[in-house]
Amino acid sequence: MKESRYNLILDGSSHRLAFNAMTCAFAEVDESFFEALEEVRKTGHITNNELGKQMRYGGFVVDDDSDELSLLRMRSWQAKFSEGSLGLTIAPTLACNFACPYCYEQARDGMMTKEVQDCIIHMVEGATRRRQSVHITWYGGEPLLALPIILEMSQSMIALCESQNVPYSAYMISNGFLLNEKKIQDLKAVRISGMQITVDGPRDIHDKRRILKHGPGGTFDRIIKNICCLLNSGLVPDIRINVDKTNGARLEELIVYFKEQGLEKCHISFGHVNAFTEACADIEGSCFSVEDYAAKSITYQRFLFENGFPASDYPLYPGIKRNYCCADSIGSYVVDPDGRMYKCWNDIGNASRSVGSVLDLGEASDAQQSLLSSYLLWSPFDHEKCLSCEILPICMGGCPYNGIRHSGEPECEKWKYNIGDALRFIYTNYERLGHGDESEP
């Protein structure tokens, strides 16, 4: 028996806490815990069998022949190359009725052709024959501009999945402005079970950031009205707040407004605004550093909790990562209106960053295959700072897109800077967060 390499110990004025990043186990511990760790270091076993059993269950100690790094590497490769599901993020148009200053896309008019739609349906049909589950995320541009395409394609994909008895699920990312009760019912009818809508601050801030492309007038009031309609329909929306230096000081005011509107059931998440592409390069000076954003995100999460919003799970409490996202998963692609396939949402619309096309699957160029390999094979295990990091299992080297554009060098996630504060918050508010009483090691 030996000590896990992924233990994190936090000292407080009246307590000590232990977290294991491999299992995400978290416990208040007393001196017996540290005596047991010391005993393991010296003798390779723990005399107190019950305590040893609990510590092993939490992953704080492991078998002598356990190679945690190899297990983590295997878990990562299994997730990257799993063929159990097909995940498609489909943009039926890159047109948008908004002109947000931080948008990383190059908006353009036009709708997905019937030929591209049919090729995507054929791709889904192949997945169902392989007994793969299918998950669709509708994206844009603004996807509601292409609602007829979404409804028709959804009906076809649902029928294919039902014919093979494989799971189907769908989600949408929208600015929410074009919603109405009829459209909400149409979306529910084709199994779109969730929707992310962005609200970027109180009315005066939001209306400077979430701007209509054509015509005067703000967007805040109409979006809030539509969020309430979604909630009343039973389709609980996810509200995203993109955070930078221009709105960070006003977010608590926004959360109070959400509470006044009765939106406590909504899941609220914060997005760290970054200058990902040339399309949004001019906003780089208003972006927070990762370290600054990490500190602010904890403050925002605390305020959410204090005002009755869900705040106990990810992104407040860390979760085990196997691979990072769709970009480093072999079964996930982003598809633009022309049928070009990408690995990352940040690449959509940039033809030089495509990895193939639904119009000619299997006919990718050498450059496209090379880019695909770069995403799938990007690995934190190639970097010493990741190999020696005690929280690697909850970070997995961070965003592959950032890693690739920074010459392969990983960009550390917020957890590097706020994991201690997040865990202390969970500990302090454990019972209020709805967890039952559990015995400590």
Side-chain angles (χ1 to χ4, degrees):
M1 188 180 296
K2 61 184 178 182
E3 182 179 3
S4 170
R5 66 188 294 159
Y6 297 115
N7 289 340
L8 180 66
I9 306 300
L10 303 174
D11 292 319
S13 58
S14 60
H15 58 267
R16 302 182 78 183
L17 307 172
F19 173 78
N20 182 268
M22 194 74 167
T23 63
C24 285
F26 183 39
E28 180 182 5
V29 295
D30 58 22
E31 194 57 35
S32 65
F33 177 89
F34 297 99
E35 291 172 354
L37 283 183
E38 185 61 26
E39 185 179 10
V40 164
R41 294 181 193 120
K42 291 180 177 179
T43 69
H45 69 273
I46 297 175
T47 303
N48 185 330
N49 289 333
E50 182 58 32
L51 177 58
K53 181 180 178 180
Q54 291 185 37
M55 292 175 68
R56 185 191 294 269
Y57 179 75
F60 298 105
V61 294
V62 297
D63 291 337
D64 281 328
D65 57 359
S66 175
D67 184 340
E68 291 175 286
L69 193 58
S70 291
L71 290 173
L72 190 60
R73 184 182 281 109
M74 181 182 71
R75 191 163 74 183
S76 172
W77 290 114
Q78 285 177 330
K80 281 174 177 283
F81 295 102
S82 170
E83 296 184 345
S85 64
L86 174 67
L88 295 179
T89 297
I90 304 173
T93 181
L94 290 179
C96 190
N97 55 328
F98 279 23
C100 305
Y102 54 72
C103 184
Y104 53 81
E105 293 185 25
Q106 293 279 5
R108 58 182 173 83
D109 294 334
M111 298 289 162
M112 181 175 284
T113 66
K114 189 65 167 63
E115 181 185 15
V116 172
Q117 295 172 43
D118 290 343
C119 286
I120 293 174
I121 300 299
H122 180 70
M123 192 175 180
V124 169
E125 183 179 15
T128 63
R129 288 177 176 173
R130 295 188 295 273
R131 316 301 297 170
Q132 292 176 310
S133 62
V134 175
H135 178 76
I136 304 298
T137 298
W138 295 105
Y139 191 54
E142 171 47 49
L144 289 175
L145 290 170
L147 183 58
I149 293 174
I150 291 171
L151 297 180
E152 183 177 348
M153 289 185 66
S154 295
Q155 290 166 357
S156 297
M157 291 186 289
I158 290 169
L160 286 170
C161 289
E162 287 182 341
S163 70
Q164 297 293 333
N165 196 29
V166 299
Y168 175 89
S169 58
Y171 189 79
M172 179 177 284
I173 296 174
S174 167
N175 59 43
F177 189 80
L178 298 175
L179 282 170
N180 57 40
E181 291 186 7
K182 170 68 165 57
K183 290 176 181 176
I184 291 171
Q185 295 307 315
D186 287 343
L187 295 174
K188 290 178 66 177
V190 292
R191 300 193 194 175
I192 293 175
S193 58
M195 181 179 293
Q196 178 183 288
I197 295 176
T198 296
V199 180
D200 266 359
R203 183 182 291 104
D204 61 308
I205 296 289
H206 172 96
D207 284 345
K208 293 176 183 176
R209 293 162 61 95
R210 307 292 290 176
I211 306 165
L212 283 172
K213 181 175 288 185
H214 304 294
T219 62
F220 181 86
D221 291 333
R222 184 164 167 177
I223 290 172
I224 294 297
K225 176 186 175 182
N226 290 341
I227 287 173
C228 292
C229 287
L230 281 168
L231 199 57
N232 292 335
S233 77
L235 203 163
V236 179
D238 298 318
I239 300 176
R240 178 181 172 94
I241 307 172
N242 293 314
V243 182
D244 60 23
K245 295 175 184 177
T246 68
N247 69 343
R250 302 282 301 280
L251 297 194
E252 292 183 359
E253 179 184 340
L254 177 63
I255 292 167
V256 170
Y257 177 83
F258 287 158
K259 183 176 182 179
E260 292 171 350
Q261 299 301 306
L263 301 181
E264 293 96 326
K265 289 184 179 180
C266 296
H267 179 265
I268 297 176
S269 63
F270 302 99
H272 180 199
V273 176
N274 275 300
F276 283 118
T277 67
E278 291 183 7
C280 57
D282 58 345
I283 57 94
E284 187 170 7
S286 65
C287 299
F288 288 117
S289 67
V290 176
E291 186 170 1
D292 287 342
Y293 174 75
K296 292 183 180 298
S297 68
I298 290 294
T299 300
Y300 302 145
Q301 290 288 347
R302 286 195 185 109
F303 197 77
L304 280 176
F305 169 71
E306 291 165 359
N307 282 275
F309 291 86
S312 60
D313 299 320
Y314 187 87
L316 178 61
Y317 191 81
I320 299 168
K321 279 191 179 293
R322 289 169 172 82
N323 63 308
Y324 189 83
C325 64
C326 64
D328 63 347
S329 169
I330 198 169
S332 297
Y333 293 94
V334 183
V335 186
D336 76 8
D338 297 321
R340 295 188 187 94
M341 301 164 65
Y342 308 86
K343 289 305 293 174
C344 179
W345 297 17
N346 294 332
D347 291 331
I348 191 168
N350 182 350
S352 68
R353 301 286 297 175
S354 73
V355 297
S357 172
V358 298
L359 297 172
D360 51 6
L361 291 174
E363 299 297 326
S365 68
D366 289 347
Q368 289 173 325
Q369 292 183 59
S370 177
L371 181 58
L372 175 63
S373 297
S374 294
Y375 272 118
L376 292 176
L377 299 179
W378 189 91
S379 171
F381 304 106
D382 295 332
H383 304 277
E384 181 56 39
K385 74 174 185 179
C386 293
L387 293 175
S388 60
C389 180
E390 63 191 1
I391 61 169
L392 174 60
I394 63 172
C395 171
M396 294 307 290
C399 169
Y401 176 87
N402 283 336
I404 291 171
R405 72 174 180 152
H406 294 154
S407 302
E409 187 65 20
E411 183 175 281
C412 294
E413 290 273 275
K414 66 173 184 175
W415 294 121
K416 176 179 178 179
Y417 307 104
N418 70 7
I419 182 66
D421 289 337
L423 293 174
R424 290 186 181 97
F425 173 80
I426 293 289
Y427 169 79
T428 301
N429 297 282
Y430 190 75
E431 292 186 2
R432 290 174 62 199
L433 288 166
H435 300 284
D437 182 35
E438 296 183 11
S439 58
E440 66 181 34

